[in-house]
Amino acid sequence: MPDSITRPYGMVAEFTTSASVLHAAEKVREAGFRKWDVFTPFPVHGMDHAMGLRNSKVGWFAFIGGVTGYTTGMLMIWFMNTLDYPIVIGGKPMFSPFAAFPPSYELTILFGAFGSLFGMLFLNRLPRLYHPLLKNKRFSLVTHDRFFVVIECADPRYSEPETRKLLEDAGSRHIEVVEE
């Protein structure tokens, strides 16, 4: 009896050209799969549309970070100049948004960059220290010249014979099930 029971993670299909993997992505999307991904050695034009992906939400994280940075800069300078350490010089106002703009602008850029970085990490569920695909020897070819479509077993539409037939019809040259 084995020490540990392995469960299947998903079905990996290998393709040789970007056109064939693009065609396969369209077929998988049309079949109604939800938990699947495409891995390529370089960006493939039109893949987002073929996979049915929407625009990224990372921009919203950057926007919220930028607004937070600008507000933080303005409030920080207002607090320091009017409440914390007010210095009256020649009857000038304690707070002027014109003078507070440059540091607030810099904080907008800084917090926007942090927002996009941490938003990307959050949405991609990173750092991920282990992934079942990294054990697969053939999958290492994705960094050279191969293209892969991976359909997870956790997908409600997944059925091994039907999924295998779909990927074969899409033109895959090698299909295998990867264990977790």
Side-chain angles (χ1 to χ4, degrees), residues 147-158:
F147 304 85
F148 291 89
V149 173
V150 178
I151 301 175
E152 295 181 24
C153 294
D155 193 295
R157 306 251 326 146
Y158 182 84

Side-chain angles (χ1 to χ4, degrees), residues 9 124-132 134 152:
Y9 169 74
N124 289 332
R125 295 184 214 112
L126 294 175
R128 187 172 183 176
L129 302 177
Y130 168 77
H131 197 283
L134 298 178
E152 295 181 24

Side-chain angles (χ1 to χ4, degrees), residues 5 10 23 33 36 47 70 76 80 82 84 86 88 101 118 128 130 141-142 145 160-161 166 177:
I5 299 173
H23 175 69
F33 287 97
W36 62 286
M47 186 59 75
Y70 185 79
M76 177 181 67
M80 286 190 248
T82 59
D84 187 38
V88 179
F101 181 77
F118 293 122
R128 187 172 183 176
Y130 168 77
L141 295 172
V142 76
D145 62 350
E160 188 166 341
L166 172 73
V177 177

Side-chain angles (χ1 to χ4, degrees), residues 9-13 37-39 128 130-140 142 148-152 176-180:
Y9 169 74
M11 190 170 288
V12 179
D37 206 352
V38 175
F39 298 91
R128 187 172 183 176
Y130 168 77
H131 197 283
L133 292 176
L134 298 178
K135 291 190 304 187
N136 189 309
K137 296 286 186 208
R138 291 186 74 90
F139 188 75
S140 64
V142 76
F148 291 89
V149 173
V150 178
I151 301 175
E152 295 181 24
E176 68 180 285
V177 177
V178 175
E179 304 290 327
E180 277 193 29

Side-chain angles (χ1 to χ4, degrees), residues 66-85 94-105 107-108 111:
V67 168
T68 303
Y70 185 79
T71 305
T72 300
M74 285 292 181
L75 289 176
M76 177 181 67
I77 293 171
W78 170 81
F79 173 77
M80 286 190 248
N81 288 345
T82 59
L83 300 176
D84 187 38
Y85 195 69
M94 293 293 187
F95 175 74
S96 170
F98 299 110
F101 181 77
S104 298
Y105 176 72
L107 283 175
T108 300
F111 282 35

